[in-house]
Amino acid sequence: MEITQFEQLVVSALEDIKGKDIQVIDTTRLTSLFDRVIIASGDSNRQTRSLARNVADKAREAGLTVVSVEGEDSGEWVLVDLGDIVVHVMQPAVRAYYNLEELWSATPARPSRPGSAAARAA
């Protein structure tokens, strides 16, 4: 399956269970481990678990491999590893605290300090 079709499958599975604030981040230039990070929010532990379970079920139905699912016990943050796509389903407070969108964005949200190695390399 092509990555854009795979991405659409995941987003549709999240939308089916009313996932909120779905963000797709292309990580091909940042890591060779996976191509996309998809982040979504759920309003409760039950919803985050349901969102993650629906993503895993839809992937299996499409003949794709679910590498692992982590965090279902607490339901505050559930990670679904689909190989080329990693899905994070989080409650809003957890999502705001970890701010994965900034972590995986290609350009830093804050400029580095003028004397740092990163600033000299830029």
Side-chain angles (χ1 to χ4, degrees):
M1 179 179 285
E2 201 172 302
I3 191 68
T4 53
Q5 293 172 316
F6 192 4
E7 179 183 310
Q8 272 306 111
L9 178 120
V10 172
V11 170
S12 293
L14 292 167
E15 290 173 340
D16 286 348
I17 311 290
K18 308 285 190 246
K20 295 182 179 177
D21 301 322
I22 300 169
Q23 297 289 317
V24 178
I25 302 169
D26 183 345
T27 59
T28 53
R29 291 184 172 186
L30 302 172
T31 183
S32 60
L33 298 174
F34 41 83
D35 295 328
R36 301 285 188 277
V37 169
I38 299 178
I39 306 167
S41 294
D43 291 327
S44 66
N45 293 356
R46 181 175 289 183
Q47 187 184 18
T48 57
R49 285 192 294 262
S50 293
L51 286 161
R53 196 172 307 115
N54 197 47
V55 167
D57 290 346
K58 297 292 182 182
R60 284 187 192 105
E61 288 171 14
L64 301 168
T65 302
V66 176
V67 178
S68 69
V69 178
E70 304 292 331
E72 282 186 304
D73 293 341
S74 74
E76 290 181 356
W77 179 354
V78 184
L79 180 141
V80 182
D81 185 348
L82 300 171
D84 289 337
I85 295 179
V86 176
V87 183
H88 297 272
V89 183
M90 311 166 94
Q91 289 188 15
V94 175
R95 185 172 177 173
Y97 181 79
Y98 287 100
N99 196 9
L100 295 180
E101 290 90 342
E102 183 178 331
L103 177 70
W104 284 108
S105 65
T107 56
R110 286 180 231 117
S112 22
R113 294 175 303 172
S116 71
R120 288 191 298 272

